[in-house]
Amino acid sequence: MADFLEFYPLRPHNTLGFDVTARYAVPVRSEDDLVQALDDARVASRPVLVLGGGSNVVLTGDLDAAVLLMQIPGYRVDTVSDGEASLVTVGAGENWHATVLRTIADGLPGLENLALIPGTVGAAPIQNIGAYGVELRERFHALRAWDRQTRRFVTLDAEQCAFGYRDSLFKQAGRDRFVITAVTLRLPRRWQPALGYAELARGVAHLPAPRPEDIRDAVIAIRSAKLPDPAHLGNAGSFFKNPVVSAPLRDALLREHPSLVSHQQADGSYKLAAGWLIDQCGFKGWREGCVGVHDRQALVLVHHGGGSGNDLMALAARIADTVAQRFGVRIEPEPVVI
Ligand SMILES: Cc1cc2nc3c(=O)[nH]c(=O)nc-3n(C[C@H](O)[C@H](O)[C@H](O)COP(=O)(O)OP(=O)(O)OC[C@H]3O[C@@H](n4cnc5c(N)ncnc54)[C@H](O)[C@@H]3O)c2cc1C
C-alpha cells in the first residue's frame, strides 16, 4: 500500500528550491502503487501533480493537491530481432543522467549528447528533452503509461507521443491524462557521433576518432562550465524556449541586428537564440529581490532563496515583454507552471 504523507514540503523536490507544501504526497514505487494511489479518495478528490525530479516545474504556492513522487525503478536491455538496435526499458523514476552513464558503460552508446540533464526518465518524453543537437525522440522507441481517462495501461510509440521542439502530446491534448511508468529507448548498434553542435565539435576536435565516452565527457564539461548547479543556486535550466520565426522576419531582424544568433530549421524557418535576445535587453545578471537572471547565462532564471514562484513568473513576464517590445518576437517559458 502506498504511503500518504500529509502537508509534505516540496522544497527538496523542485530544483528552483521554492518552499511550498503539498496537502498529500505519495511515493510511487510500482505500477500497483500508482493505481492504488489514484483510486484513493484523498487523491481522487483533488488535482494530481506527477513529479519526477522537479527540474522543470515552477511551483507558485502551496498545493491542495496530491503529488505523486515518481520513484519506479527498472532497467532492462533487449535486442531487436534484426540485431540493428538495442531496446533499453527504464523505469520512470530512474535518474536520467545515471541512465545515460549506465547505457554507455554497458556498451550501448547513443545518449551521450544528453548527459547531465537533470530529472527522471519518466519526464524525458514530456518536453522531448534535447541538448547539443540530439532530442529524445531520435532515441525513443515507446513508453508505457497509465491512461487516467480510460483507466488502463497503454503503450505509446513515437508518433502517438507527437514529439516537437520541447513539446509532446503530454504538454498538449494529453496534458494531465497520462502517468508514464517506463520508457523504452532505441539505441542503434551502428553508432555515429552527433557533432552538429559547433561547441561540442570543438570540444572533441583534438581527437581523431571521438568515442561515446569522449563526447559524454565533453558534454559534461561544457554544461558544468555554463549552467549553474541547482544544488548551489536554484534554477530550472533554460527558462525560455528558443522562438521559431519565419525566414523573412529573421532576415529583417538580421539587417537591424547583425550579431543576431539564429539557426535554420529543416522547414526553412529559423530558431532564434532566446538567451541572445534577453542578453541584448540587458538582463544578464539582473536581480529583482530574491530572483534574477544568471550572470553567465541569460536564458537561466535563478532563485537566490526566500522568494516565490510568483516572484519568478513576474520577472519572466517582464523579460518576455521587454524582448517583445524590442524585437517583435514573443518568448515563452519552458517549465510547467503549477
Ligand atoms: C540545470 C538544468 C539544466 C537543464 N538542461 C536541460 C536540457 O539541456 N534539455 C532539456 O530538454 N531540459 C533541460 N532541463 C529541464 C529538465 O531537466 C527536463 O525537462 C527534465 O526532463 C525534467 O525531469 P524531471 O523529472 O525533473 O521532471 P519534473 O520537473 O518533475 O516534471 C516536469 C513535467 O513532467 C511531468 N512529469 C514528470 N514525470 C512524469 C511521469 N512519470 N509521467 C507523467 N508526467 C510526468 C510533470 O507533471 C511536469 O509537468 C534542465 C533543467 C535544469 C535544472
Side-chain angles (χ1 to χ4, degrees):
M1 177 63 198
D3 299 329
F4 276 74
L5 308 163
E6 286 197 65
F7 298 107
Y8 185 76
L10 291 177
R11 189 160 155 192
H13 294 273
N14 73 105
T15 59
L16 276 159
F18 291 127
D19 208 354
V20 305
T21 57
R23 182 67 182 84
Y24 292 105
V26 191
V28 171
R29 300 188 186 96
S30 67
E31 290 188 342
D32 284 348
D33 277 358
L34 175 65
V35 176
Q36 273 177 27
L38 288 169
D39 277 345
D40 189 286
R42 289 167 288 188
V43 176
S45 60
R46 293 191 159 70
V48 171
L49 170 63
V50 183
L51 203 58
S55 63
N56 213 25
V57 289
V58 182
L59 303 175
T60 55
D62 290 340
L63 301 172
D64 184 18
V67 176
L68 305 182
L69 303 169
M70 297 304 289
Q71 298 171 2
I72 300 177
Y75 179 93
R76 194 188 73 230
V77 179
D78 301 293
T79 305
V80 294
S81 51
D82 59 9
E84 288 290 301
S86 298
L87 298 182
V88 186
T89 300
V90 190
E94 296 284 352
N95 177 269
W96 174 262
H97 176 60
T99 301
V100 172
L101 299 185
R102 183 165 178 184
T103 51
I104 295 170
D106 285 351
L108 304 168
L111 301 179
E112 52 285 345
N113 293 51
L114 302 175
L116 217 58
I117 298 181
T120 54
V121 168
I126 304 294
Q127 71 156 357
N128 175 31
I129 56 168
Y132 300 96
V134 173
E135 289 187 348
L136 175 80
R137 67 171 146 190
E138 296 163 64
R139 307 287 185 263
F140 178 90
H141 180 68
L143 60 77
R144 183 171 154 89
W146 174 257
D147 182 346
R148 296 178 62 201
Q149 202 164 304
T150 60
R151 296 192 43 79
R152 61 191 176 90
F153 281 101
V154 291
T155 299
L156 303 178
D157 64 19
E159 201 181 328
Q160 290 168 304
C161 291
F163 292 123
Y165 165 60
R166 300 293 186 273
D167 200 20
S168 72
L169 167 75
F170 312 104
K171 291 187 92 171
Q172 302 295 336
R175 195 180 164 144
D176 296 330
R177 177 169 168 185
F178 299 96
V179 185
I180 297 167
T181 57
V183 176
T184 302
L185 303 157
R186 186 177 204 281
L187 304 176
R189 278 294 168 89
R190 252 173 263 155
W191 177 79
Q192 285 203 322
L195 294 173
Y197 195 92
E199 200 180 354
L200 179 57
R202 278 197 299 277
V204 293
H206 61 290
L207 300 166
R211 300 164 307 149
E213 292 82 353
D214 301 319
I215 295 175
R216 170 200 65 197
D217 294 345
V219 168
I220 291 174
I222 296 169
R223 293 185 68 104
S224 307
K226 221 159 80 166
L227 288 168
D229 180 350
H232 302 297
L233 182 60
N235 76 91
S238 303
F239 197 86
F240 294 97
K241 294 195 249 188
N242 291 319
V244 179
V245 301
S246 67
L249 176 54
R250 177 264 187 181
D251 293 345
L253 284 168
L254 191 61
R255 278 194 295 277
E256 226 179 298
H257 310 277
S259 59
L260 180 82
V261 180
S262 63
H263 302 283
Q264 191 169 28
Q265 305 300 291
D267 64 0
S269 62
Y270 281 85
K271 210 185 255 179
L272 306 182
W276 185 90
L277 300 172
I278 297 167
D279 196 5
Q280 293 300 303
C281 294
F283 280 112
K284 198 186 265 180
W286 182 266
R287 181 161 177 170
E288 246 173 48
C290 300
V291 296
V293 181
H294 191 243
D295 54 8
R296 269 177 291 142
Q297 187 47 270
L299 199 49
V300 176
L301 301 196
V302 296
H303 173 216
H304 295 282
S308 73
N310 285 327
D311 298 338
L312 193 81
M313 291 316 295
L315 173 61
R318 202 139 100 80
I319 293 171
D321 288 348
T322 309
V323 167
Q325 274 163 19
R326 172 111 186 249
F327 297 100
V329 175
R330 197 82 219 158
I331 52 171
E332 312 231 328
E334 183 188 293
V336 180
V337 182
I338 312 285

